[in-house]
Amino acid sequence: MTNGAVKDHIKRYDQIVIYFVCYTLTFIIFTTTLRYTIPFVLAFIFASVLSKLIRRLSSKFGIDQKYIRLPIIALFFGIIGTLLTMLVISIANQAVIFGVSVVNYFTENGESIMFWFNERYHWLISQIENLDPRLIESGNQMLNSALMSIRDISLSLGTAIGKFSMVSITGIPSLLLVIIFTVVCTFLFTRLMVKEPHFLLKYMPIEKEHEGRFIGIFNEGKDMVIKYALSYLLVIFITGMISSVGYMILGIPYALLLGLVTAFLDLLPILGVSAAYIPLGIYFFAHGNIVVPFGLVILWVIVAVGRNIWEPRIVASTLDMSPIITIMAIFIGLKLNGVPGMFYLMFMAVGFKVMQKVKVIDTFAGNAENQGGIQ
């Protein structure tokens, strides 16, 4: 390998290290300040989508942009607000009914449940010969303690729901403030982006000769991030939809609420949808219903196994990335720091792909092709 080739490789490694440090600092700053900047981040995302739509409609139908800007923004937030309101009301209603039902069930059947478990425990002990009596007594105390804890937790669920309702009510002013700022900033950002898509360049210390490259990086990054977000929303939607339909077919109540919970549990490492299916299966099996647990096993195979097939394909196809890279980022990220770790590595891979696409970071493959292979 020549000295020039060695210098080129060192330069590429330096680029990777610089990118890793800058990306990590940006990710930390963005995530830690998101609770303060969420209205502006949402407004910028909405405006990016709406400005493109307004420009296309204006050029296609020959309508002045200022006449369709406000109606499109109003229609957009009207549709989003209506759908979210209906979804929140439905889920909140099912959550309250579910919580009250759980509390009532354990209040009425708590003693019977404890008696049933104690009977099974003593039957199991009677099948084992020469067992130390102290071990039997210790196991009995542990079982009773566990059952009492479960009962106390279930009974406190009603109080928790009440407190959550109060917190939600007291949080309405803050939520309304976020919504108002998001709507107003969306209108302002959209108006700016329609007239001047790259208005942010005015507020950045970028020289004229580098503006074209920066615009390329910004556009590629924005497109890939939007594609990534939409692809993951599609994955969550598929999981929730399949689970909700499965619950309805099996006759499980609160299908919409449980489907939503299952969809987000699917993001958890290790457990996934099992965190929803296993407790439901145990509950119905304890009540003598074998059909529902068997149906949940089939549903688990469809969702858990199917998700490992369609998630990498959906994410990789939308981002033009190798499925191997996608799988590695998801698995390693979940192992490192759960869902935040997964997003950290996924966006790192996306950003690296963007930087290579706009030729900010050189590729080793391109270097090898230019030199006809490494000597």
Side-chain angles (χ1 to χ4, degrees):
M1 186 181 289
T2 62
N3 290 333
V6 172
K7 289 181 179 179
D8 286 340
H9 276 72
I10 293 175
K11 177 184 176 183
R12 285 165 174 77
Y13 285 122
D14 288 342
Q15 290 174 343
I16 294 172
V17 171
I18 292 171
Y19 167 74
F20 172 77
V21 173
C22 293
Y23 168 79
T24 303
L25 290 174
T26 304
F27 185 85
I28 292 172
I29 293 171
F30 177 78
T31 52
T32 52
T33 59
L34 188 60
R35 58 178 177 171
Y36 307 110
T37 60
I38 186 66
F40 312 105
V41 173
L42 290 176
F44 189 83
I45 295 171
F46 294 153
S48 299
V49 177
L50 292 173
S51 59
K52 286 185 177 180
L53 178 61
I54 291 170
R55 284 197 297 268
R56 287 180 182 178
L57 291 176
S58 176
S59 61
K60 186 174 182 179
F61 297 103
I63 306 173
D64 195 334
Q65 295 174 354
K66 64 182 179 181
Y67 296 125
I68 62 174
R69 186 168 56 220
L70 186 59
I72 287 177
I73 294 174
L75 180 64
F76 172 78
F77 280 107
I79 294 172
I80 295 295
T82 302
L83 292 176
L84 283 178
T85 302
M86 292 173 61
L87 183 64
V88 168
I89 290 174
S90 178
I91 291 174
N93 182 49
Q94 290 195 11
V96 172
I97 296 173
F98 177 74
V100 172
S101 299
V102 170
V103 172
N104 291 337
Y105 177 80
F106 275 95
T107 302
E108 296 171 1
N109 302 288
E111 297 297 330
S112 301
I113 293 172
M114 294 182 67
F115 179 76
W116 186 87
F117 275 102
N118 274 304
E119 273 194 333
R120 299 301 179 274
Y121 174 75
H122 288 297
W123 176 85
L124 179 64
I125 294 300
S126 66
Q127 305 301 312
I128 304 175
E129 297 180 356
N130 302 323
L131 193 62
D132 190 342
R134 291 175 297 179
L135 185 60
I136 296 174
E137 182 62 26
S138 176
N140 192 33
Q141 291 177 358
M142 289 177 62
L143 176 63
N144 288 328
S145 176
L147 292 174
M148 290 294 292
S149 298
I150 294 173
R151 189 184 68 173
D152 293 341
I153 291 171
S154 64
L155 292 176
S156 64
L157 183 61
T159 305
I161 292 174
K163 289 181 179 179
F164 177 76
S165 302
M166 292 301 297
V167 170
S168 300
I169 292 172
T170 56
I172 287 177
S174 299
L175 179 61
L176 288 175
L177 194 63
V178 171
I179 293 173
I180 291 170
F181 271 90
T182 302
V183 172
V184 172
C185 291
T186 299
F187 176 78
L188 296 175
F189 280 146
T190 303
R191 187 175 64 179
L192 286 170
M193 288 183 179
V194 167
K195 293 180 180 178
E196 194 176 356
H198 308 295
F199 71 95
L200 288 177
L201 292 176
K202 295 180 179 180
Y203 308 100
M204 294 185 178
I206 299 174
E207 298 178 0
K208 287 287 184 181
E209 57 268 22
H210 296 145
E211 283 187 1
R213 199 174 196 185
F214 179 82
I215 290 172
I217 295 172
F218 178 78
N219 288 336
E220 287 288 340
K222 181 179 66 175
D223 290 342
M224 292 191 77
V225 168
I226 291 174
K227 288 179 180 178
Y228 175 75
L230 292 177
S231 64
Y232 236 91
L233 285 175
L234 179 60
V235 170
I236 294 175
F237 176 77
I238 292 173
T239 302
M241 183 62 67
I242 292 175
S243 298
S244 295
V245 172
Y247 293 149
M248 291 178 185
I249 293 173
L250 294 172
I252 298 175
Y254 318 108
L256 180 62
L257 173 65
L258 292 174
L260 181 66
V261 172
T262 304
F264 284 98
L265 285 175
D266 199 24
L267 295 173
L268 294 177
I270 302 174
L271 292 177
V273 294
S274 303
Y277 293 163
I278 290 176
L280 286 172
I282 293 173
Y283 172 81
F284 282 98
F285 181 78
H287 284 74
N289 190 329
I290 303 176
V291 176
V292 171
F294 182 73
L296 287 173
V297 171
I298 298 175
L299 194 60
W300 180 87
V301 173
I302 295 172
V303 174
V305 177
R307 185 178 185 273
N308 290 322
I309 297 173
W310 68 61
E311 179 184 355
R313 289 180 179 273
I314 290 173
V315 176
S317 62
T318 53
L319 298 181
D320 190 26
M321 288 172 54
S322 169
I324 298 297
I325 299 296
T326 306
I327 293 171
M328 288 176 62
I330 293 171
F331 181 80
I332 296 173
L334 288 172
K335 288 292 185 181
L336 285 175
N337 194 29
V339 176
M342 179 190 68
F343 284 120
Y344 169 77
L345 286 185
M346 280 301 304
F347 281 119
M348 177 183 285
V350 169
F352 193 82
K353 181 76 174 179
V354 170
M355 292 299 180
Q356 285 190 327
K357 202 168 183 178
V358 297
K359 298 180 180 179
V360 173
I361 297 178
D362 300 326
T363 61
F364 290 96
N367 184 51
E369 289 174 2
N370 293 335
Q371 295 183 13
I374 297 175
Q375 303 296 327

